[in-house]
Amino acid sequence: MTALPALDRPLALALYREMLLIRRFEERCVELYGAGKIRGFLHLYDGEEAVAVGVMRALEPHDAIVATYREHGQALARGLPLGEVMAELFGKREGSSGGRGGSMHVFDAKRRFFGGNAIVGGGIPVAVGLALADKLLGRENVTVCFFGEGAVAEGEFHESLNLASLWRVPVVFVCENNLYAMGSALDIDEAETDIAAKARGYRMAAERVDGMDVVAVLAAARRAVDIARKGAPCLLEMRTYRFRAHSMFDAQGYRDKDEIERWRERDPLHVVAAAGKASGVLHDEDLGAAEESVRRAVDEAVAFAERGTWEPVEELTRHVTAPRTKRRTP
Amino acid sequence: MTINYRECCKLALRQCLDEEPRAFLMGEDVGAYGGCYAVSKGLLDVYGPDRIRDTPLSESAFVGVGIGAAMNGMRPIVEVMTCNFSLLALDQIINNAATLRHMSGGQLGVPLVIRMATGAGRQLAAQHSHSFEGWYAHIPGVRILAPATLEDARFMLPAALKEPDPVLLFEHVFLYAMEGELDASVRAVDIEHAALRRRGTHLSILTYGASLQKSLSAADALAAEGIDAEVIDLRVLRPLDDAALVDTVKRTHRVLVVDEGWKSGGLSAELMARVCELAFDELDAPPTRVCTAEVPIPYPKHLEDAALPQAATIAAAARRVCGRG
Amino acid sequence: MAELAFAMPALGADMERGRVVRWRVKPGDTIGRGQVIVEVETDKGLIDVECFHDATVMALLVPEGVEVAVGAVIARLDVAGAAPTAEGPRAPPATEPARLPPTSAAPAMPPVATPLGARVIASPLARRRAAALGVDVATVAPGTSGRISAEDVERAAATSTRERDPKEAMRRAIAAAMAKSKREIPHYYLWQSVDVTDALAWLTAHNARRPVTERVLFGALVARAVARAAAAAPEMNGAYLEGAVRSSLEVHLGFATAQRGGGLVAPALLDAHTLDVDAMMSAIADVVARVKSGGLKSREMSAGTITLTALGELGVDGVLPVIQPPQLAIVGAGRVTERPWVVGGAVVVRSVLTLSLAADHRASDGHRGARFLQNIVKNLVPPEAP
Ligand SMILES: Cc1ncc(C[n+]2csc(CCOP(=O)(O)OP(=O)(O)O)c2C)c(N)n1
């Protein structure tokens, strides 16, 4: 087992700033949603930032990522330009997906970010396929697939884990177990709530991780990516929590306020800040400076999105099938 | 008293649960969460977890479970959050629910009702905005309902629960908030016939679901120009009410189909084909249609609006059908 | 080579339509600048239309007799060495007031009847209406859609009854109605020679007591007899519409009347079954006068439930008539002649008339027809005292 990485100053600063960026970006999204700039469903990652930030840091640029409708965190941690992600949420042409996808469908092929899938479990077999292609083409790439614990109830989860293990493809399944699938608590949905145990049932390595501790996530991700690069699938069950509603708003009758407060004490931003301060690599001024730079970055992203343009209605039926290139006459 | 479509759906559920002891509701987040469109909100407290049954995200499994329970004496009402997710249960719906009676030589019936939301208009992008009711209407063995009015939202479900065969009921997401007066004289509705929602003489607009309201407002606009449009709410998409189609075409001689589904191979195509087969000699213009553009529904509002049938595009098509465009 | 679309020219500021009366050229002809190529009839009269190019005629698109709007292409010419242009009015003259946008079926393209030989594009309903109204769809100009609609047919039917040449219009209407009749109605025919000596005697006695102007003609007796018999024969009196017999309770007896200068109308003697001999006579005198002078009412033209055609004046012995659609029957009467006739075993001279019946076999059969004829005979001698 790889030991916890040393939390040196550059790493601590980077992890903190990346998580803060996601947090502040999404807070702005809420505001912009209220203002009508962003519409549709908007699933926030508030509380779960450590998972995306920790896992992405363990990946190489050529590795592939598949995420869900709750993918702003993964997109930003993967380094998608902030302005393009915001423009996507606005539906502008300059958005990551040209504005066609919105919040749930952020794509960036250049960065091997295979999107935003909004059908629960829909991305899991696709990730296995991406990894299978890498394997068949002899590339040493890994595919990471994010999904919620709710998806574990879908047949596609089980079918995919079986295939991945059977064919030994380089995929890392990252289950973001935030305890609730919309309003359904894990133990309402699952007879066996130990998700890592399910994966082991398919004969793959699996680990349960403290998803509120970015350093622990990073360490686990490095171990998992190592395994995958050697040609075997594995699964990480990230124990995490969303502080807000499932989508923009719900009555949250399915959980206690207290429970949310208890989890807030383990806010991944606090956790990493406390660890950094305790080991003397982070200081209050760093946190202030991070706030300042993040605020500027988010401002710029919003300005970029505002400046963005609407795709003309005449182009409505673009991107349905590949454009037909004229066949050259011999 | 004003009431909205969502509340009508809830009253319908309550009537089913009150009158039919074998009925139970099953689906994702129907219990504690109250249903993703809040249709079953509060019902868990009234009927308890056996009759308001939360399921995991296992569409294929819980629809299949509904089929088994229906064959074995229960009267399940299965809620699939939206028709987009019903694709995960397509195998169960088509290969089991729709087919068992026939395969078993008539021995088995599947008295199952599946409710699901359908349609676009809320900027939910491509994976959450499909309209598959026309697709399902392709399948023999199921009855397809599309309540477009408060009365139908209120009374179609109880009628469906009495059916001996599977019924798929499509509630349009855009209609849940529609408010109005529930006609107190209506105590039940049939699930056999199309309904004439507006009488007219110059053309017949054949439509259903959320497109009904759009068609009615188009008809109002047209009336101001002297075009008198008849509006038919299909209500039952399978089996189609052929007599109503012929009847209206005989009156107006012109047909405009408005369907939120895609054009190619869709319900609109079926309707136009039937009109031609059954009332060709009555036609004074080629049947025309307004459908959703052949594109997965895009996220931005202006593109989504452009993709879907709208009152303005319906009115424009109606003018063309009447030779005035 | 350059193609030129030759359009119906505006031959006056108020001209909207023109009828192609006669083509003076045919496809393949070479024509010179200034040559008359077509005679066009307008409200102002017949006008020779010339071409302003040296050209070869490629196609004539509008048949003779058909009316089209100004601007409608009526011929295609091949103009040697010229750039393709359109001949004919391009924009309305500056003095013409701008037109209000039309409210109904506004033709964006000028409406044109279907060119000779081209497939006629008409809606199914339009074809049905055209058949019912006796309109040839090929002569109907489509609205904006480019397809002939039922409304276009109805408009054409309405204008064709207001045609400028009444003779021609009448001939066309008769042609359409009779062709339809023969095409659709399965006629059967019965005839019978009838001894009308008693009826003529009655008439002579009746007329003896009247001034010349009030004398009753034999035709009125026949008309009365037919009307009475028709009132008791639902399968002879009424219409056949949309596959069903619609009997009429009233008898409106169409009275076939020749028009001066050709043509034929059969205005209805309304409620003929209620008229006594004198009333019948004055009803007949009235419509015949109005056939000559004009002033027939549209109801009289459309209300007929059965028709009588009497051609005896012209010396024919009998007539096998054609039913007026959608009526069910028509009765024919020839001339009254003196003939040897057997009465009580002896040959005597009697006045004999040949009555005939053509009836719609969909509504009745020969048996009923024979009874109907019998009934007419029975009614020939009025019960009223002379
Ligand atoms: C197949 C399918 N069924 C239902 C839904 C509706 N839905 C969207 S998110 C969600 C809950 C998913 O929970 P989980 O997988 O735990 O992920 P989380 O939202 O907690 O990140 C549901 C039921 C869907 N999108 N797809």
Side-chain angles (χ1 to χ4, degrees):
Chain A
M1 237 196 199
T2 328
L4 276 188
L7 187 62
D8 57 15
R9 181 171 164 76
L11 181 63
L13 276 174
L15 293 175
Y16 183 79
R17 188 183 179 282
E18 282 176 30
M19 291 198 291
L20 188 70
L21 183 68
I22 298 169
R23 179 72 57 88
R24 298 292 178 251
F25 178 89
E26 289 200 321
E27 282 167 1
R28 190 67 70 86
C29 288
V30 174
E31 199 181 315
L32 292 163
Y33 196 94
K37 299 276 185 187
I38 300 173
R39 302 305 308 163
F41 285 149
L42 183 68
H43 305 86
L44 301 178
Y45 203 49
D46 191 6
E48 307 184 33
E49 295 91 343
V51 178
V53 168
V55 171
M56 292 303 170
R57 188 153 280 266
L59 297 183
E60 300 293 333
H62 45 78
D63 292 333
I65 295 119
V66 175
T68 70
Y69 45 86
R70 197 184 298 287
E71 88 285 34
H72 309 155
Q74 284 88 2
L76 297 190
R78 179 58 173 181
L80 270 67
L82 211 58
E84 290 180 17
V85 178
M86 188 59 90
E88 186 59 37
L89 271 54
F90 275 50
K92 295 286 180 80
R93 190 171 15 193
E94 292 73 10
S96 316
S97 308
R100 294 282 177 141
S103 161
M104 300 196 285
H105 306 296
V106 174
F107 287 81
D108 190 334
K110 265 203 312 291
R111 293 177 177 81
R112 295 191 46 86
F113 192 79
F114 289 91
N117 194 304
I119 301 298
V120 169
I124 307 176
V126 175
V128 175
L130 290 168
L132 176 66
D134 278 333
K135 176 181 163 129
L136 294 177
L137 292 169
R139 296 186 293 221
E140 297 206 326
N141 302 344
V142 162
T143 300
V144 176
C145 179
F146 293 86
F147 52 88
E149 84 293 344
V152 168
E154 295 283 6
E156 286 185 324
F157 168 82
H158 297 273
E159 297 171 26
S160 302
L161 259 63
N162 181 49
L163 278 186
S165 184
L166 191 65
W167 293 341
R168 294 188 66 77
V169 301
V171 60
V172 178
F173 299 104
V174 178
C175 177
E176 298 175 308
N177 182 359
N178 60 14
L179 306 181
Y180 295 94
M182 276 180 73
S184 296
L186 184 58
D187 56 1
I188 290 184
D189 275 358
E190 291 294 314
E192 170 57 84
T193 56
D194 183 344
I195 292 162
K198 292 178 200 278
R200 288 187 207 108
Y202 292 105
R203 294 181 171 275
M204 70 175 73
E207 218 185 299
R208 178 180 284 188
V209 183
D210 177 0
M212 303 308 261
D213 178 351
V214 66
V215 180
V217 171
L218 173 56
R222 284 188 177 152
R223 290 192 290 276
V225 168
D226 260 5
I227 295 171
R229 255 195 245 290
K230 290 196 187 103
C234 62
L235 179 140
L236 299 176
E237 178 190 346
M238 299 290 183
R239 283 283 175 156
T240 181
Y241 200 77
R242 64 170 157 78
F243 294 149
R244 291 173 185 264
H246 167 72
S247 180
M248 265 303 289
F249 171 82
D250 66 45
Q252 302 202 37
Y254 49 86
R255 62 183 186 185
D256 290 342
K257 283 247 159 52
D258 286 1
E259 182 185 287
I260 303 173
E261 286 318 307
R262 275 200 310 282
W263 277 94
R264 274 201 190 280
E265 286 161 22
R266 305 229 53 243
D267 183 326
L269 282 169
H270 298 335
V271 171
V272 74
K277 282 197 224 167
S279 53
V281 296
L282 277 186
H283 310 287
D284 283 338
E285 310 83 83
D286 297 325
L287 307 191
E291 282 290 355
E292 187 48 30
S293 89
V294 160
R295 193 182 51 72
R296 259 185 279 117
V298 173
D299 282 349
E300 273 166 32
V302 174
F304 178 84
E306 289 281 7
R307 276 199 310 277
T309 54
W310 301 112
E311 197 177 357
V313 173
E314 295 68 51
E315 295 181 6
L316 176 62
T317 57
R318 265 177 93 206
H319 308 309
V320 178
T321 50
R324 294 253 146 204
T325 42
K326 245 190 246 146
R327 231 205 259 151
R328 237 175 275 144
T329 38
Chain B
M1 188 198 66
T2 63
I3 188 168
N4 65 26
Y5 184 95
R6 181 196 322 276
E7 288 154 356
C8 289
C9 293
K10 182 188 288 191
L11 288 175
L13 269 175
R14 297 200 58 154
Q15 182 185 344
C16 292
L17 293 164
D18 290 340
E19 291 179 356
E20 171 55 84
R22 297 171 298 172
F24 67 98
L25 175 71
M26 158 165 76
E28 292 162 12
D29 280 316
V30 296
Y33 196 82
C36 66
Y37 291 99
V39 170
S40 53
K41 205 175 177 93
L43 298 191
L44 178 63
D45 294 339
V46 182
Y47 298 98
D50 273 354
R51 301 192 74 199
I52 304 292
R53 187 169 281 270
D54 271 323
T55 66
L57 279 86
S58 312
E59 287 82 1
S60 186
F62 67 74
V63 169
V65 167
I67 293 168
M71 282 196 295
N72 202 18
M74 298 299 285
R75 288 291 178 274
I77 300 169
V78 171
E79 174 179 310
V80 179
M81 284 184 169
T82 79
C83 69
N84 306 282
F85 317 144
S86 78
L87 300 188
L88 278 79
L90 205 53
D91 168 59
Q92 288 299 332
I93 296 172
I94 295 174
N95 285 326
N96 278 339
T99 318
L100 274 162
R101 181 180 295 280
H102 182 80
M103 287 190 299
S104 67
Q107 296 178 77
L108 300 174
V110 182
L112 168 71
V113 181
I114 306 177
R115 296 174 43 236
M116 47 185 126
T118 186
R122 297 232 173 276
Q123 285 194 256
L124 300 185
Q127 291 182 334
H128 278 66
S129 303
H130 293 137
S131 290
F132 286 134
E133 53 279 4
W135 244 39
Y136 281 109
H138 179 63
I139 314 298
V142 291
R143 180 173 294 268
I144 308 296
L145 306 181
T149 62
L150 296 179
E151 286 74 24
D152 279 348
R154 170 64 186 86
F155 294 110
M156 270 186 164
L157 183 66
L161 196 70
K162 297 200 173 76
E163 284 291 308
D165 293 306
V167 179
L168 273 57
L169 196 136
F170 291 83
E171 296 161 8
H172 198 287
V173 290
F174 215 75
L175 295 177
Y176 282 121
M178 179 176 75
E179 268 189 349
E181 296 288 326
L182 189 62
D183 183 344
S185 67
V186 178
R187 307 303 312 152
V189 297
D190 78 63
I191 51 172
E192 305 280 334
H193 298 108
L196 180 58
R197 301 290 185 209
R198 184 190 209 280
R199 254 197 192 282
T201 53
H202 292 140
L203 82 156
S204 300
I205 302 180
L206 311 180
T207 189
Y208 69 93
S211 300
L212 173 63
Q213 293 305 325
K214 294 177 180 176
S215 299
L216 287 170
S217 32
D220 286 344
L222 290 165
E225 303 164 20
I227 296 177
D228 187 14
E230 179 148 313
V231 179
I232 304 289
D233 174 6
L234 296 167
R235 300 176 69 245
V236 185
L237 308 186
R238 183 185 187 95
L240 281 168
D241 184 353
D242 287 342
L245 301 184
V246 172
D247 189 53
T248 186
V249 175
K250 275 193 169 161
R251 260 198 303 279
T252 65
H253 310 290
R254 290 183 161 84
V255 171
L256 172 63
V257 180
V258 181
D259 178 12
E260 200 178 307
W262 291 299
K263 189 180 272 188
S264 300
L267 185 67
S268 63
E270 177 63 25
L271 288 161
M272 291 167 78
R274 284 187 193 224
V275 164
C276 290
E277 282 171 353
L278 303 172
F280 182 75
D281 286 324
E282 295 294 339
L283 289 172
D284 203 13
T288 304
R289 52 188 157 162
V290 176
C291 298
T292 289
E294 305 263 318
V295 60
I297 306 296
Y299 162 70
K301 176 154 174 52
H302 68 296
L303 293 183
E304 180 178 49
D305 284 350
L308 301 175
Q310 303 293 358
T313 48
I314 296 167
R319 279 182 212 110
R320 280 198 303 281
V321 177
C322 292
R324 300 231 202 140
Chain C
M1 125 157 200
E3 197 180 302
L4 178 129
F6 190 89
M8 174 63 73
L11 301 166
D14 54 354
M15 173 174 164
E16 286 180 356
R17 304 176 71 80
R19 178 188 309 282
V20 172
V21 174
R22 197 157 80 83
W23 284 107
R24 300 262 286 263
V25 295
K26 54 185 189 309
D29 284 1
T30 315
I31 51 177
R33 212 183 128 85
Q35 184 177 339
V36 172
I37 64 169
V38 63
E39 292 169 27
V40 169
E41 187 189 49
T42 71
D43 298 324
K44 307 264 157 60
L46 212 58
I47 296 181
D48 289 342
V49 173
E50 14 166 29
C51 170
F52 297 98
H53 295 274
D54 295 326
T56 308
V57 179
M58 293 165 70
L60 305 180
L61 302 177
V62 176
E64 289 177 357
V66 169
E67 187 179 86
V68 299
V70 166
V73 177
I74 60 174
R76 295 205 175 279
L77 307 180
D78 177 5
V79 182
T85 47
E87 176 93 331
R90 270 162 213 104
T95 51
E96 211 174 43
R99 291 225 199 127
L100 283 174
T103 50
S104 73
M109 290 281 294
V112 172
T114 306
L116 277 174
R119 198 181 105 75
V120 178
I121 310 290
S123 80
L125 186 67
R127 287 179 187 278
R128 278 204 320 168
R129 292 295 293 146
L133 293 168
V135 171
D136 176 358
V137 278
T139 65
V140 176
T144 13
S145 64
R147 182 186 323 96
I148 299 161
S149 70
E151 197 187 337
D152 297 329
V153 169
E154 275 151 18
R155 203 181 309 116
T159 44
S160 72
T161 59
R162 284 189 266 110
E163 290 188 66
R164 286 183 198 83
D165 181 350
K167 250 188 288 175
E168 190 189 325
M170 164 87 41
R171 206 57 254 164
R172 212 181 297 166
I174 295 170
M178 293 300 104
K180 177 179 163 61
S181 178
K182 279 290 189 175
R183 197 167 53 239
E184 289 179 9
I185 304 178
H187 289 65
Y188 68 88
Y189 305 94
L190 308 173
W191 62 94
Q192 181 176 1
S193 292
V194 184
D195 175 359
V196 294
T197 312
D198 293 346
L200 287 172
W202 183 93
L203 195 63
T204 308
H206 183 79
N207 284 340
R209 287 185 278 116
R210 280 171 168 71
V212 180
T213 49
E214 287 177 25
R215 294 223 173 123
V216 174
L217 296 176
F218 180 64
L221 237 56
V222 177
R224 181 188 163 281
V226 171
R228 301 265 151 148
E235 64 282 347
M236 300 292 158
N237 185 50
Y240 189 90
L241 287 172
E242 290 165 1
V245 176
R246 322 237 162 178
S247 300
S248 169
L249 292 176
E250 287 84 41
V251 179
H252 306 307
L253 177 66
F255 191 81
T257 310
Q259 282 191 314
R260 227 187 320 209
L264 177 77
V265 284
L269 306 169
L270 301 174
D271 296 311
H273 58 305
T274 64
L275 305 178
D276 65 18
V277 176
D278 294 315
M280 182 65 85
M281 187 62 228
S282 48
I284 291 173
D286 174 42
V287 295
V288 169
R290 283 188 290 120
V291 165
K292 307 248 147 73
S293 67
L296 287 171
K297 300 189 194 81
S298 64
R299 176 155 153 73
E300 291 171 321
M301 297 308 295
S302 59
T305 56
I306 184 169
T307 298
L308 168 65
T309 176
L311 293 176
E313 271 176 53
L314 303 173
V316 300
D317 289 333
V319 49
L320 296 180
V322 180
I323 299 170
Q324 297 272 332
Q327 292 173 20
L328 302 170
I330 181 167
V331 175
R335 69 182 162 135
V336 178
T337 50
E338 308 237 296
R339 295 244 191 105
W341 199 256
V342 178
V343 179
V347 178
V348 291
V349 175
R350 302 290 282 186
S351 296
V352 175
L353 162 73
T354 300
L355 268 186
S356 55
L357 169 72
D360 186 339
H361 225 323
R362 296 171 300 185
S364 65
D365 46 38
H367 190 77
R368 308 291 297 178
R371 286 241 201 110
F372 177 59
L373 265 186
Q374 281 305 314
N375 238 334
I376 297 173
V377 174
K378 257 189 238 145
N379 280 302
L380 269 176
V381 181
E384 306 110 71

